[in-house]
Amino acid sequence: TQLLEQSPQFLSIQEGENLTVYCNSSSVFSSLQWYRQEPGEGPVLLVTVVTGGEVKKLKRLTFQFGDARKDSSLHITAAQPGDTGLYLCAGPSGGYQKVTFGTGTKLQVIP
Amino acid sequence: DAGITQSPRHKVTETGTPVTLRCHQTENHRYMYWYRQDPGHGLRLIHYSYGVKDTDKGEVSDGYSVSRSKTEDFLLTLESATSSQTSVYFCAIKRASGGAFTDTQYFGPGTRLTVL
């Protein structure tokens, strides 16, 4: 079973601060995805990274896939209250029929 | 929006009673999934379906069964609900993105189930 561990589990910061969330595994993944989930809703895909070392930017969010394709990070610059939510990393499993989700990082950005 | 609805959205039931949750999609996607979400565990796969009458177990399938008699509907049944099955349940479909390893999951709004 491929496991994805995320850290930290909880993060509470002030508006305007920077933060980094990590997603780690002992297994190699062909790709990793990041989803964001707002309270009372289902997760929504933010980005997919497929190449070791790849960096993708989505406005103030920067996603990186580790060179060995075992880890990924999400960096948020100048966090805003609208960034509040649960961030989940995910990777394909079971012959690509299934997805393994990480344990999640709950982010609270205080105005 | 992938046209996914779940019913009911909220349910309170008692230990030992059967419960069925329904997921409905409008886009004829082949793959459908049931997850449960609990604090500190992210999303854990219960069962999934890869076609009508084709289903398989996920990592936390004990105590759950599923059925898919039509492409658009995927039912999750708790045969005899227990307090440990109190959770938020999400249904999802998989939509191909056109690239390798990049399929996207789209989720329904969730069902909050409380077993007393």
Side-chain angles (χ1 to χ4, degrees):
Chain A
T1 302
Q2 297 173 300
L3 297 176
L4 288 167
E5 294 286 338
Q6 290 185 238
S7 62
Q9 187 174 358
F10 299 100
L11 193 55
S12 182
I13 62 171
Q14 295 289 328
E15 182 177 358
E17 293 183 355
N18 301 332
L19 67 116
T20 302
V21 174
Y22 301 93
C23 173
N24 293 287
S25 176
S26 59
S27 305
V28 175
F29 281 87
S30 53
S31 65
L32 280 178
Q33 297 179 316
W34 285 91
Y35 289 78
R36 179 169 65 202
Q37 182 179 17
E38 298 186 9
E41 300 182 4
V44 175
L45 179 70
L46 294 173
V47 77
T48 302
V49 286
V50 298
T51 305
E54 180 178 5
V55 176
K56 279 192 174 179
K57 292 190 175 182
L58 187 65
K59 297 184 180 178
R60 294 175 293 100
L61 280 60
T62 302
F63 304 85
Q64 184 161 10
F65 199 11
D67 291 340
R69 292 187 287 123
K70 292 184 178 181
D71 58 272
S72 181
S73 64
L74 159 60
H75 181 79
I76 300 179
T77 302
Q80 298 179 0
D83 296 326
T84 292
L86 178 68
Y87 289 81
L88 295 159
C89 63
S93 63
Y96 307 111
Q97 290 189 319
K98 300 182 286 186
V99 171
T100 296
F101 281 87
T103 49
T105 293
K106 191 170 185 179
L107 171 65
Q108 181 185 32
V109 181
I110 302 168
Chain B
D1 184 3
I4 305 167
T5 57
Q6 293 184 231
S7 58
R9 293 294 312 280
H10 302 271
K11 187 169 182 66
V12 179
T13 190
E14 294 189 349
T15 298
T17 62
V19 176
T20 295
L21 308 182
R22 178 178 182 249
C23 178
H24 179 79
Q25 58 142 331
T26 59
E27 297 184 351
N28 292 320
H29 293 286
R30 179 183 173 193
Y31 285 87
M32 298 184 75
Y33 304 81
W34 276 109
Y35 294 91
R36 62 177 289 173
Q37 185 170 45
D38 306 287
H41 291 279
L43 287 163
R44 292 183 291 175
L45 181 65
I46 305 171
H47 283 279
Y48 69 102
S49 171
Y50 47 96
V52 173
K53 300 190 188 311
D54 292 322
T55 65
D56 204 351
K57 296 179 179 180
E59 60 182 299
V60 291
S61 59
D62 287 349
Y64 302 95
S65 62
V66 290
S67 66
R68 192 169 180 198
S69 59
K70 299 185 291 184
T71 299
E72 58 265 35
D73 290 325
F74 192 30
L75 303 181
L76 176 70
T77 297
L78 290 66
E79 302 290 348
S80 178
T82 68
S83 58
S84 64
Q85 293 176 311
T86 292
S87 187
V88 180
Y89 291 85
F90 285 97
C91 173
I93 59 92
K94 184 176 73 167
R95 180 185 285 170
S97 66
F101 323 127
T102 58
D103 293 342
T104 301
Q105 298 230 331
Y106 290 85
F107 290 83
T111 294
R112 184 173 294 275
L113 176 67
T114 302
V115 183
L116 301 175

